[in-house]
Structures are given as structure tokens and as C-alpha cells.
Amino acid sequence: MSALSSHLQPREAPTLIHSFGGVKDLQKIDIVRHLICENEAYQAFRVLQGNASLLTSSLVMDAAAGMMVLYGSNHEAQIQEDISDFERLQSVIDEREKTEDWSELELSEAQNITQLKRTQARLPQSLSQLNMNVSAGQQQPDMDTSLVNTLPDQRNPAFYGRKKLLQEINGYLHAREEDPSIRSVAIWGTGGIGKSQIALEYAQQQWLAGTNVVLWIASETEAEIAKSFHEAASRLDLPGYLETNTPDQNRFGVLHWLRESSHVPWLLILDNVADQKVLSENWPRTGNGSILVTCQSEILAASPAAVAIEIPAFTTNGSGELIMNIMNWKHASKDENLAAYELSKKLGGLALAIDIVAKQIKIRRRFKTIRDCLPYYDQHYRTLHKRPKIGILDPYYSKDIDTVWQTALEHLEPDAACLMSLFCFMAPEGIPQWILEPKCDVPMGWEFLKDPENFENVKVELLELSLIRTNEETGLICLHRLTQLAFFDRMSEQERKDTFHVAFSLLREAFPGRQGHHHLYTLWQTCEQLKHHVLAFQARYEVLRKNGFSEQDAKFTWLMYSLEIQSFLSCERTLLLAEDNIEDKSSLVHAYLCTNFVSLYERTGRSVRAIAKAQKALEMRDSLPTDKNDLANGFSDVGYSSVAAYEAEQGLQYLEKALSIAEAAPEPDRYKVYNIDRFLRNHGRGNMLLGRYDAAQADFDRAEYYQPMVHGKNSHYDGE
């Protein structure tokens, strides 16, 4: 802790404050002036706030001057002894804020000086109220141990946003005369979301607003808890406190003080709680105070705290603004703001990630703009996810993105690790739980997927660690994209390959398939729900391919091209990658893929390309053993594409071959096996182009006859 930060916290001086009983005012004034001379001006100022009889303007100003000399020495080579002119000093601070060479520590110092000015301005009003209470015969509160805080850091000058959250927390924790019981709130969320920073900001606000005792208990490990209670017991100067006390003695003493100090308002923060035992052992049941808990687990947050509040990620706009704020780019171009928003999407609004990556960009100075950094981030995100080793140090949070989930990920049970690896092959948002229910056999080690009760237990383990969360209304599972990325990076190549096959099997079962003439139009809702998971799965496969892995299962290619009914850009990228993946370009699998290219190219107005793909698919089908339905569809595809390219004569020849195959089959196979209604509609379109309107009408009438048999009544084909 720096010399400056040590002066911002009450230290040994409480022993002087506590000895004020029976001391004459003149002696008290001497003690205060001694504190000022000994560079303990902050303590002197707090003593004055608690002793109305000492509040003379000269003594207050001496204490204020001592604080300003102490804190202002970093700003000016020499400050005049007479610092009664607050505005002049404030102008110096304002001027410095315009420069870009402020360190975070300097900003914090300036903020404390500003707060001092506000505190001094409130003193006359506080004194007036105190005098009124004394005149009315009210007893003054015992101030002996009422000015203590053990906050780990100064107020973070770079704290950004979260105003509504802070107001919500304060709304629950604010003391109410009609309800003197302990108020409690637990804030929860994934690692790096900003829980501790929110708690620290709230605690600082309450300390400055007049909460007499603010105790911060770091609660991740037993060692941290013991150290925190030791500091709290020391600062409170508890009866019987000794440096040699055991951790339990310190803890019991502090908790006893919190329970019994009904006359002193206090705030207790239990930060980064990972075990229910920590709450049960360190929870004061009575007292005049509030308790704020931070934890990752939604389940842990639910008890014993009265209210649980989830901390959300920053929105895309909020993330972009925070990036610009950290970069100190106040007048960025529109393109730079857009680039900041793009980067924020990659970071998923995670406060820790935004802070680290923005600072990395700032100190590296290799990127003139954020836009320049985006390609580098895609290739080297692991480097940018680590805290800068030089330049900008963060006194508020020591972990980086790689380590924030380290403890949780390292201690997962085997089944929970398997489920996390499975989530890494899906999109991070909107995972339906029903696709995790396999109908076929699963490999050894994945049996929990077939056992509903075991699966629920595994899911709860991930929920408790806040590695995943479920939507209460839809039941959909989601996880933060950076949590997903961190776990995927930890997986071995063999683990990735094993998980690939399980994920492939689940998605293949879940995604609707086209059988014979049936279309996927009636299943669009299901396809839409699964589309982004198939695309994410494909992206993971591309990572595996770079390391020599290849999957030639025909059903895998089907999974890739079955997205034809979805967005065209995503579909084309999927089809091209699937075609590149196929080693045997003369196989029926490739023929099926070409058929889907035909559909895509026709829907996007590229009929010439559609004809080429359709003819290629037909050649492969004609040269390989295939069923008549596939062959008929091959002729139909060439015919339809030719008609669309205004080559109607050629198109009709191919469509007539498709019709001859279908019409050779007896009913009901004619319309149950073959797409005869489609063949007839496309044949009618060809006749229309050639001016053969009677023939076209006959084709359309026959198509209308078959379409309800094929698609049912009132389908979207009705009357087409």
C-alpha cells in the first residue's frame, strides 16, 4: 500500500480518538494538531467530525490544509501554507485533468481532494444539526469505534456505469426506521463480470455518505478470510484483541461487535464467496447494519441473503463507450466507435475483458485505431487477454481472463467437464436442453446424457459455478463466449475430437432432415432454433481441420448443407466449406451437396451457376447406383434452372424426363415418393415462357390436383 493510500484509511490514530473520554477540549485540540503535524491530517479531520466542541473554523481549515498539502504534493512543487482558497486548488486539479498523463493514482488523489471540499462544505450543517440535538437533550452517539473501514483499495476513479445497479442495491440495503433488522443483498454473475468492483464502489459511496464502519472480508480462501478478520479486529480495537489472536478469536470478536453495536451503522462485504459454509459461519444475525455478498453462483446467492441480483454483462453500446473511456479517446470518428462496438461484441460485454484488452491496445501503440486491432485480436486473442506486464498496473483486480475461471475449470468433476466441452461445440446462447437427450448410444464417459437425474446433477454443478445459466422462462442454456473460449483452449486435441463426434451425433439427431420429396418448410422454427449451433459446430470443425482432423461421414456433409432454408450468406459459406471438406468429389455425397448449391443459387438469382451445379450433380447420379427418385430430382433440377435462365426448350426436355420417371410409378407412390407437383409446376413455367398457355394451364391444373396429396390442404403451395 502506498503512503498516500495508507493516509486514506484510519490506522493507529483510533487509539488517540478512543482515549478522548475525560480529556479537556484544549488537550483534544493539541492531539488534533499533533495528528496534523504527524501527517495524519485525514485522522484529524475525522476526529473533528465526531467532536462538536472542537469544530472551530481555524482548526477545521488547518486539518483541511494538512490534507491538501499531503495529497497535493504530487501536483505542485510547493503549495502555499494558506490553502483556504479551495477554488484555486480545484482549478489546478481541473487543469491537470485536461492532460493525458494522469495516472490512475493521481486521479484518485484528485477525487479525494474534491471529496474533501464537499465534506468541508457540509460541516456547518452537520454541526448545526448536532447542536440542535444537544439542545433537545438527545444523547450523542458513542463514537469510540465508529470510524473504521478496511476497504482493500481507494475508490476506483475509472469505475464506469452501473448506476441503476448501485441504486437497486442501495434501495435494498438502505436503513429504514420501521425495519431495524439486518438488510442483505447478494450480487452474482460469472467471473470477471465486475461484481467486486461494484461492491467496492458501493462501499466507498456508503463510507463517504457517513456509514461509520465498513468491513471488507475477502472470502475466496480461508487464508484471505483470516487476514481480513485480523485487520477488522485490529481496526475496531476490540477488547482483548492481541496480535497473537487465532483467526477464530478475531472472527468471533468482530461478529460479536457487529451483533451488539446497535448504535453504530455498519456495512459488511463478503467478497467472492465460493462456499455456503463461509456465509453460515460469518453471518451476523443481528445488528444495525447491512451485508453485501459477491459470488459467482446463483444458487449460493439465494440464501441467506434476502435479495439476489444478477450482474449482467455490459450492453454493446455500454461496452463500446467503456472501451473509448479507457482509451481516453473523447473525439473518435464514427468508424472508430463502430470498431469499438465490434470489439465489444467479441468480448461479450465482460467488464474484465474490456478493461484488459483496451489497456493492452493503449500501451502497445502498434495500432493507430481500434479498427486496425480487430484482425490482430482474432489471431492473437490469448495474448491480449493477459494483463499488460508493464505500463498500466491495476490495483483493483489482479486476475486476467485466463485465470479468472481457472479454479472452477480445474476442479470440475469428469461429467461436468464433458458437458462443458460439449457446450464448446455449440453457440454460447440459446442451447435447447432437448438436444442434449441422445436417442442413440453414447461413448463411454458420456453415459450421464442418458440418465436424466445424473444430467441434472451435472448441470447444477455448472450452475453453482456460474459457468452456465438457464433462462427461467424458456429453459435455454447459455454461457459467456469467453468462458466457452477459455475451456476450449484448455481441451486437448483428443478431447476435442471425442467431443466432436458426440456433438455431431446430437445435432444430427436434432436437426430435421429432408426425406424424399418432403421439404423443411414446415420445420422452419426448429431449424431456426438450431441453425446457429450448427454454424458454431462447423467453426469448431474448421479449427480441428487445421490440425489434420477430417470427417468424411456422409451424414456430416448432410448436416452442413441442410441449412439451405436459412440465411443465404451463412448457407453459402457453409456449403463452400462442406464442399472443400469432401475428399471424393465424384461421390453421391458431393452430388447431394451440388443439389443444395442449385437451390441456393436459384434463390439468389444466379441461374447460370445453378445450371452448372445441377448438371454436375446429374452426371454423378447417372454414373453411380442411385434410386429413381434421386435421378428424377436430378433431371428436375437441370430443367428448373434452365427455365429460370430463359433456356426453356432445354429445360422442358429435362423436366419431361423427370415426369416420365414419376408417372411410371403407380399411385400413391407417384406423389408420395416423387415431387410430381413440383415437376409439373416447373414444366408449366417453361410452357409459359414459350407462349404455350393452354399446355401451361394443363400443367398447373395437374399440379393443383397433386399438391394437397403431397403437402396437405391449405399449404403455401396452394394456388401457386
Short mmCIF file of all heavy atoms in Angstrom, two decimals, residues 50 52 129-144 262-264:
data_model
loop_
_atom_site.label_atom_id
_atom_site.label_comp_id
_atom_site.label_asym_id
_atom_site.label_seq_id
_atom_site.Cartn_x
_atom_site.Cartn_y
_atom_site.Cartn_z
N GLY A 50 -16.40 14.03 14.59
CA GLY A 50 -17.05 13.33 15.68
C GLY A 50 -17.01 14.07 17.01
O GLY A 50 -17.45 13.53 18.02
N ALA A 52 -18.05 17.71 18.37
CA ALA A 52 -18.65 19.01 18.05
C ALA A 52 -17.93 20.17 18.74
O ALA A 52 -17.81 21.25 18.19
CB ALA A 52 -20.12 19.00 18.45
N GLN A 129 -26.93 20.68 13.07
CA GLN A 129 -27.84 19.60 13.45
C GLN A 129 -27.44 18.98 14.78
O GLN A 129 -28.28 18.67 15.62
CB GLN A 129 -27.85 18.53 12.34
CG GLN A 129 -28.82 17.38 12.60
CD GLN A 129 -30.26 17.84 12.63
OE1 GLN A 129 -30.69 18.61 11.78
NE2 GLN A 129 -31.00 17.41 13.64
N LEU A 130 -26.11 18.82 14.98
CA LEU A 130 -25.63 18.26 16.23
C LEU A 130 -25.98 19.15 17.41
O LEU A 130 -26.40 18.69 18.47
CB LEU A 130 -24.11 18.04 16.15
CG LEU A 130 -23.46 17.35 17.34
CD1 LEU A 130 -24.07 15.97 17.58
CD2 LEU A 130 -21.96 17.24 17.13
N ASN A 131 -25.82 20.46 17.25
CA ASN A 131 -26.16 21.39 18.32
C ASN A 131 -27.65 21.34 18.65
O ASN A 131 -28.05 21.44 19.80
CB ASN A 131 -25.77 22.81 17.91
CG ASN A 131 -24.26 23.00 17.93
OD1 ASN A 131 -23.56 22.28 18.65
ND2 ASN A 131 -23.75 23.94 17.14
N MET A 132 -28.48 21.19 17.61
CA MET A 132 -29.92 21.09 17.84
C MET A 132 -30.25 19.85 18.66
O MET A 132 -31.07 19.88 19.57
CB MET A 132 -30.67 21.03 16.50
CG MET A 132 -30.65 22.35 15.72
SD MET A 132 -31.39 22.17 14.08
CE MET A 132 -33.05 21.67 14.56
N ASN A 133 -29.55 18.74 18.35
CA ASN A 133 -29.80 17.50 19.10
C ASN A 133 -29.39 17.65 20.56
O ASN A 133 -30.07 17.18 21.47
CB ASN A 133 -29.03 16.34 18.47
CG ASN A 133 -29.57 15.97 17.10
OD1 ASN A 133 -30.70 16.33 16.77
ND2 ASN A 133 -28.77 15.27 16.31
N VAL A 134 -28.24 18.31 20.77
CA VAL A 134 -27.76 18.51 22.14
C VAL A 134 -28.73 19.39 22.91
O VAL A 134 -29.07 19.15 24.07
CB VAL A 134 -26.35 19.11 22.13
CG1 VAL A 134 -25.91 19.50 23.54
CG2 VAL A 134 -25.36 18.12 21.53
N SER A 135 -29.22 20.47 22.24
CA SER A 135 -30.16 21.38 22.89
C SER A 135 -31.45 20.66 23.26
O SER A 135 -32.10 20.98 24.25
CB SER A 135 -30.47 22.57 21.97
OG SER A 135 -29.29 23.28 21.68
N ALA A 136 -31.84 19.70 22.44
CA ALA A 136 -33.08 18.98 22.70
C ALA A 136 -32.90 17.87 23.73
O ALA A 136 -33.83 17.14 24.03
CB ALA A 136 -33.61 18.37 21.40
N GLY A 137 -31.69 17.74 24.23
CA GLY A 137 -31.44 16.75 25.27
C GLY A 137 -31.18 15.36 24.75
O GLY A 137 -31.19 14.40 25.50
N GLN A 138 -30.93 15.21 23.41
CA GLN A 138 -30.66 13.89 22.86
C GLN A 138 -29.23 13.48 23.19
O GLN A 138 -28.31 14.30 23.17
CB GLN A 138 -30.86 13.88 21.34
CG GLN A 138 -32.29 14.17 20.93
CD GLN A 138 -32.43 14.14 19.43
OE1 GLN A 138 -31.57 13.65 18.74
NE2 GLN A 138 -33.54 14.68 18.94
N GLN A 139 -29.04 12.20 23.43
CA GLN A 139 -27.72 11.70 23.78
C GLN A 139 -26.87 11.56 22.51
O GLN A 139 -27.32 11.04 21.52
CB GLN A 139 -27.84 10.34 24.47
CG GLN A 139 -26.49 9.80 24.94
CD GLN A 139 -26.65 8.47 25.65
OE1 GLN A 139 -27.77 7.99 25.81
NE2 GLN A 139 -25.56 7.91 26.10
N GLN A 140 -25.64 12.04 22.59
CA GLN A 140 -24.76 11.90 21.45
C GLN A 140 -24.31 10.45 21.34
O GLN A 140 -24.08 9.78 22.35
CB GLN A 140 -23.52 12.79 21.61
CG GLN A 140 -23.84 14.27 21.58
CD GLN A 140 -22.57 15.08 21.57
OE1 GLN A 140 -21.70 14.85 20.75
NE2 GLN A 140 -22.46 16.01 22.49
N PRO A 141 -24.19 9.95 20.11
CA PRO A 141 -23.77 8.56 19.96
C PRO A 141 -22.34 8.35 20.40
O PRO A 141 -21.51 9.25 20.32
CB PRO A 141 -23.92 8.32 18.44
CG PRO A 141 -23.78 9.67 17.84
CD PRO A 141 -24.39 10.61 18.83
N ASP A 142 -22.09 7.13 20.86
CA ASP A 142 -20.73 6.76 21.24
C ASP A 142 -19.89 6.61 19.97
O ASP A 142 -20.18 5.77 19.14
CB ASP A 142 -20.78 5.45 22.01
CG ASP A 142 -19.40 5.00 22.48
OD1 ASP A 142 -18.42 5.77 22.28
OD2 ASP A 142 -19.31 3.90 23.02
N MET A 143 -18.83 7.39 19.86
CA MET A 143 -18.04 7.39 18.62
C MET A 143 -16.77 6.58 18.76
O MET A 143 -15.91 6.61 17.91
CB MET A 143 -17.69 8.84 18.23
CG MET A 143 -18.89 9.73 18.00
SD MET A 143 -19.90 9.18 16.65
CE MET A 143 -18.80 9.52 15.29
N ASP A 144 -16.63 5.84 19.86
CA ASP A 144 -15.34 5.23 20.15
C ASP A 144 -14.80 4.36 19.01
O ASP A 144 -13.64 4.45 18.66
CB ASP A 144 -15.42 4.40 21.43
CG ASP A 144 -15.37 5.29 22.66
OD1 ASP A 144 -15.16 6.51 22.49
OD2 ASP A 144 -15.55 4.76 23.76
N SER A 262 -25.62 -1.90 18.10
CA SER A 262 -26.87 -1.43 17.52
C SER A 262 -26.87 0.08 17.30
O SER A 262 -27.69 0.61 16.54
CB SER A 262 -28.04 -1.82 18.41
OG SER A 262 -27.87 -1.26 19.72
N HIS A 263 -25.96 0.80 17.98
CA HIS A 263 -25.93 2.26 17.88
C HIS A 263 -25.03 2.76 16.76
O HIS A 263 -25.00 3.94 16.46
CB HIS A 263 -25.44 2.85 19.21
CG HIS A 263 -24.06 2.39 19.57
ND1 HIS A 263 -23.79 1.10 19.95
CD2 HIS A 263 -22.88 3.07 19.58
CE1 HIS A 263 -22.49 0.99 20.20
NE2 HIS A 263 -21.92 2.16 19.98
N VAL A 264 -24.27 1.86 16.13
CA VAL A 264 -23.32 2.27 15.09
C VAL A 264 -23.69 1.61 13.76
O VAL A 264 -23.71 0.38 13.67
CB VAL A 264 -21.87 1.87 15.47
CG1 VAL A 264 -20.90 2.27 14.35
CG2 VAL A 264 -21.47 2.51 16.78
#
